[in-house]
Amino acid sequence: MFLEPQETMPQTSVVFSSILGPSCSGQVQPGMGERGGGVGSSGDLVFQDGRLISGSLEALMEHLVPTVDYYPDRTYIFTFLLSSRVFIPPHDLLARVGQICLEQRQQLEAGSDKARLKSFSAKIVQLLKEWTEAFPYDFQDEKAMAELKAITHRVTQCDEENGTVKKAIAQMTQSLLLSLAARSQLQELREKLRSPAMDKGPILKAKPPAAQKDILGVCCDPLVLAQQLTHIELERVSSIHPEDLMQIVSHMDSRDKHRCRGDLIKTYSLEAYDNWFNCLSMLVATEVCRVVKKKHRTRMLEFFIDVARECFNIGNFNSMMAIISGMNLSPVARLKKTWSKVKTAKFDVLEHHMDPSSNFCNYRTALQGATQRSQMANSSREKIVIPVFNLFVKDIYFLHKIHTNHLPNGHINFKKFWDISRQIHEFMTWTQVECPFEKDKKIQSYLLTAPIYSEEALFIASFESEGPENHMEKDSWKTLRTTLLNRA
């Protein structure tokens, strides 16, 4: 049965709370202390109902840095570190944090209160620990690492040999280096892996031999294939990090002259995940179009419809959308004789869920239901939520475009970045789910390496299966035949 859509909005998940703390509301948490005030204006910070909504960049940076009597809310730490890269490179932010720390340290040293100085140092180390754990890639360049070393050197001057502050810094540094090494190795490995080979397709009536393997020869169980697709999705999406998603804002905000120039390079993880969607769509179309007999093509279409339905029930909306997109490509959609033999009731239900009208209202209702199921889950299978990535990106883009980065008074519109951070937080929660399905290397190898037809090859195979029916199709077929003959 299909997952029943839920009408109630789910509460924000707490799976990612190791970084974000107990909520992502932006409200000051009890007992954390406040730097200089509450509701209303506090220097260059503006609060509304206890929630920070705007401030100058300098004031926001100062609000990040602890004092003896204050430690920033962890949701603020995450949101500001995530969004600040739109305005200032991480290494420059780290340098400014170091300057603020030095100024405060000098004031404490003048008071000769070692206990307060040690307390302040411990809080600075805690802030750096949270930063290096949430955004380790901010420290990949020499400038950032040099700034980190300078700050940690200053805060350890009051600590005795083998003191708690020095031990905490040593552990933090070791964890950071391990994270950077692991991520670097992963990226090197993935850069070696290429997308599935693009097959030029048949050459005029040269249909694939009957013995050639297709997806049904590798896996004929729709549920098993949906589970393996989910395995691939979770593996690929787990390599996406919050700062990668924040680049959506950096890339699209070409008018903001203050955006972080170092973030303009598109990350490999985002590109690879986007390519995976396209490859899966083309693989579905290839598997259908290269089948010789109409009866077998019908079976192939019905198989993929069942796979898409199983993906929906699992909560894997991205693969589901990719499969539907593949079956809606023109070379597949035009196969009217084949589709006339397909029991399309299931497909109609799937298309209803992915109906683009009202901003994909049906899909969003289903996504809310899956999210609520995930939050109440007793098993890892019920925790899986893989949204349609392209729609998620559009949502971030929409949030970015309808709200300005700066208010008329020059303040940063921090309310906007709370909203973007909340969206990214929820997405990151979903990426942390461990896949509960056993990996099948044979099936995954086929899905990731099977040759896929180019768009031209798909049309050729489609026309060979069912000839052109109108003048436009006849002209297209004639052009393709001429191109192939000239190429031969």
Side-chain angles (χ1 to χ4, degrees):
M1 291 181 64
F2 288 109
L3 174 69
E4 289 295 328
Q6 302 293 324
E7 294 183 0
T8 55
M9 283 291 289
Q11 298 298 311
T12 305
S13 175
V14 295
V15 176
F16 207 50
S17 60
S18 61
I19 293 177
L20 289 173
S23 74
C24 196
S25 66
Q27 289 186 296
V28 176
Q29 300 300 314
M32 301 299 287
E34 273 192 82
R35 181 189 284 275
V39 179
S41 178
S42 174
D44 279 338
L45 297 178
V46 177
F47 293 82
Q48 187 176 65
D49 298 325
R51 188 180 188 220
L52 176 59
I53 60 170
S54 72
S56 66
L57 178 59
E58 179 64 23
L60 291 170
M61 287 190 290
E62 290 179 357
H63 195 61
L64 176 70
V65 181
T67 67
V68 174
D69 305 312
Y70 161 82
Y71 191 82
D73 173 24
R74 299 185 77 194
T75 62
Y76 176 76
I77 294 173
F78 178 82
T79 301
F80 180 70
L81 290 177
L82 178 65
S83 57
S84 63
R85 63 200 67 237
V86 176
F87 308 98
I88 182 172
H91 62 83
D92 285 347
L93 173 61
L94 191 60
R96 182 64 189 122
V97 167
Q99 290 173 357
I100 298 171
C101 288
L102 180 60
E103 291 166 6
Q104 291 197 40
R105 179 182 171 80
Q106 288 172 342
Q107 291 177 6
L108 289 169
E109 286 175 339
S112 302
D113 190 334
K114 290 187 177 180
R116 288 173 63 82
L117 185 59
K118 189 171 182 179
S119 173
F120 169 71
S121 297
K123 287 183 177 180
I124 295 300
V125 173
Q126 178 61 26
L127 173 66
L128 295 174
K129 180 175 180 288
E130 292 192 42
W131 190 341
T132 56
E133 287 177 350
F135 304 99
Y137 225 46
D138 286 354
F139 301 87
Q140 65 178 325
D141 62 62
E142 294 181 1
K143 288 182 180 179
M145 195 59 81
E147 292 293 346
L148 179 64
K149 289 178 180 178
I151 296 173
T152 55
H153 175 71
R154 293 185 197 120
V155 300
T156 55
Q157 289 179 356
C158 69
D159 198 32
E160 63 273 10
E161 192 67 29
N162 297 319
T164 54
V165 173
K166 288 182 177 178
K167 286 181 179 178
I169 289 174
Q171 291 173 355
M172 176 192 73
T173 304
Q174 184 179 16
S175 297
L176 173 61
L177 294 175
L178 288 173
S179 295
L180 290 174
R183 195 177 292 192
S184 178
Q185 289 174 2
L186 181 61
Q187 186 153 335
E188 287 176 8
L189 176 63
R190 295 198 167 177
E191 284 175 350
K192 292 178 182 177
L193 301 177
R194 302 192 178 192
S195 298
M198 187 68 75
D199 195 332
K200 292 183 179 179
I203 303 296
L204 297 180
K205 302 298 179 185
K207 281 287 188 176
Q212 184 171 328
K213 187 186 295 185
D214 61 17
I215 188 65
L216 289 172
V218 179
C219 177
C220 60
D221 187 331
L223 176 58
V224 172
L225 190 63
Q227 290 174 345
Q228 294 309 305
L229 288 170
T230 303
H231 227 299
I232 294 171
E233 292 277 358
L234 287 173
E235 185 177 287
R236 297 205 168 205
V237 79
S238 66
S239 67
I240 296 175
H241 302 281
E243 61 268 33
D244 299 331
L245 297 170
M246 202 63 195
Q247 286 193 37
I248 295 167
V249 174
S250 296
H251 278 297
M252 296 175 177
D253 193 11
S254 58
R255 292 175 299 176
D256 190 342
K257 297 179 182 179
H258 301 290
R259 73 183 187 277
C260 177
R261 300 295 177 181
D263 280 349
L264 293 178
I265 300 172
K266 190 175 183 181
T267 66
Y268 180 82
S269 55
L270 291 180
E271 187 176 7
Y273 194 48
D274 188 49
N275 287 343
W276 155 247
F277 180 96
N278 297 330
C279 286
L280 179 55
S281 294
M282 294 296 282
L283 177 63
V284 170
T286 299
E287 292 290 325
V288 173
C289 288
R290 73 190 185 103
V291 176
V292 179
K293 296 182 179 180
K294 181 170 63 178
K295 180 174 70 174
H296 293 162
R297 281 198 303 278
T298 300
R299 184 188 173 201
M300 187 69 76
L301 280 171
E302 290 180 337
F303 173 72
F304 277 119
I305 290 170
D306 287 339
V307 173
R309 184 179 62 168
E310 295 295 351
C311 285
F312 178 84
N313 290 335
I314 288 172
N316 180 0
F317 299 105
N318 200 55
S319 288
M320 173 193 171
M321 178 65 99
I323 293 169
I324 293 174
S325 298
M327 290 190 286
N328 280 328
L329 289 174
S330 295
V332 179
R334 66 165 298 278
L335 298 172
K336 295 179 181 179
K337 293 177 182 178
T338 303
W339 278 102
S340 69
K341 302 296 182 181
V342 175
K343 298 175 183 178
T344 57
K346 296 175 185 176
F347 188 67
D348 292 341
V349 172
L350 294 173
E351 288 212 301
H352 171 75
H353 284 298
M354 292 297 158
D355 183 355
S357 61
S358 300
N359 192 23
F360 288 88
C361 177
N362 295 337
Y363 157 70
R364 295 182 188 284
T365 301
L367 180 64
Q368 288 173 13
T371 302
Q372 188 173 59
R373 179 188 66 179
S374 176
Q375 293 165 354
M376 300 172 64
N378 295 318
S379 69
S380 54
R381 292 189 177 212
E382 296 175 327
K383 290 182 180 180
I384 296 171
V385 182
I386 305 172
V388 179
F389 188 62
N390 285 337
L391 291 180
F392 172 77
V393 169
K394 287 179 181 178
D395 287 345
I396 296 294
Y397 174 72
F398 179 73
L399 272 175
H400 171 54
K401 280 299 178 184
I402 63 173
H403 302 292
T404 60
N405 285 350
H406 292 90
L407 300 176
N409 65 356
H411 277 194
I412 289 173
N413 181 9
F414 206 67
K415 184 178 182 298
K416 163 184 175 174
F417 292 102
W418 281 125
D419 293 338
I420 291 176
S421 174
R422 189 181 299 111
Q423 292 267 12
I424 292 177
H425 153 240
E426 188 167 46
F427 182 86
M428 295 308 301
T429 300
W430 297 329
T431 70
Q432 306 303 309
V433 175
E434 186 175 346
C435 187
F437 310 123
E438 186 176 348
K439 186 174 183 177
D440 189 311
K441 292 182 180 180
K442 182 180 178 182
I443 297 174
Q444 289 203 19
S445 176
Y446 186 88
L447 290 169
L448 295 170
T449 63
I452 55 177
Y453 284 179
S454 64
E455 186 177 358
E456 181 185 78
L458 285 173
F459 271 110
I460 294 169
S462 178
F463 284 134
E464 287 183 349
S465 296
E466 296 184 20
E469 294 190 348
N470 53 51
H471 291 298
M472 185 177 296
E473 286 191 345
K474 288 177 181 178
D475 289 343
S476 297
W477 182 219
K478 182 179 179 181
T479 301
L480 283 171
R481 287 171 62 89
T482 301
T483 301
L484 281 175
L485 290 171
N486 290 338
R487 191 179 296 162

